[in-house]
Amino acid sequence: MYLSLTGAILCLSLSAICSSAVPVSAISQGPQRIFPTPATHRPLVIWHGLGDTANGEGIAGLMRDIKEMYPGIFIHSVQYPGSGSIDDERKAGFYGNASMQVDEVAETIRDIPELADGFDGIGFSQGGLFMRDYVQRHNEPRVQNLLTVSLAS
């Protein structure tokens, strides 16, 4: 299900986030890749939604797809608590203090050298809300582009 609902939007958004601007003339060149592949890609932080985990099947599949599209990209999938079990991670989403979680994840992000010069973020549902809170209250290192994905009810 992870790409069936959001695949097209996500792929287009990732192309915009992870690549530089493309001249309009490049779009008419046919089915080949229309976005240039820079020598290095801006790192990406993914924050999963409620009930999911940082290494769940959907997030892991998405990370594989992104790494295939953008070889060499650094991806950090947020896991909270960092040393907890899968059950601990799911429980934190349902019962944890959201503000405290964002504060602790902000500390973790500051400690990851690959993210020091900024990164792009993708947040799914609750993870999108948490990423927005990170941008509003912390944002160091800086989020360059933030994509939040949620299902309409």
Side-chain angles (χ1 to χ4, degrees):
M1 178 176 128
Y2 81 97
L3 278 180
S4 63
L5 298 174
T6 60
I9 294 170
L10 200 51
C11 287
L12 288 173
S13 299
L14 281 172
S15 293
I17 288 173
C18 297
S19 300
S20 57
V22 166
V24 174
S25 61
I27 296 173
S28 63
Q29 294 176 356
Q32 67 270 44
R33 184 185 201 124
I34 61 171
F35 294 99
T37 303
T40 60
H41 305 285
R42 187 178 299 125
L44 179 63
V45 173
I46 299 174
W47 203 323
H48 63 81
L50 184 67
D52 202 353
T53 63
N55 298 307
E57 183 180 332
I59 297 296
L62 176 63
M63 289 176 19
R64 278 191 305 274
D65 291 347
I66 293 169
K67 287 181 178 185
E68 187 176 309
M69 288 174 65
Y70 303 99
I73 190 171
F74 176 83
I75 302 175
H76 173 70
S77 183
V78 173
Q79 179 180 357
Y80 182 88
S83 60
S85 69
I86 290 173
D87 285 340
D88 291 339
E89 192 172 0
R90 286 193 176 115
K91 287 176 186 173
F94 284 99
Y95 307 114
N97 179 313
S99 183
M100 185 177 73
Q101 289 180 47
V102 172
D103 292 344
E104 290 182 26
V105 168
E107 288 180 27
T108 300
I109 287 172
R110 277 193 296 273
D111 292 340
I112 299 172
E114 292 87 350
L115 303 177
D117 293 328
F119 59 91
D120 293 328
I122 300 176
F124 290 93
S125 194
Q126 182 185 57
L129 296 172
F130 287 2
M131 287 291 294
R132 181 177 172 161
D133 185 42
Y134 171 85
V135 170
Q136 288 182 290
R137 294 191 307 115
H138 298 280
N139 212 25
E140 189 57 44
R142 187 171 174 76
V143 173
Q144 301 297 317
N145 298 286
L146 176 59
L147 173 66
T148 62
V149 181
S150 183
L151 298 176
S153 50

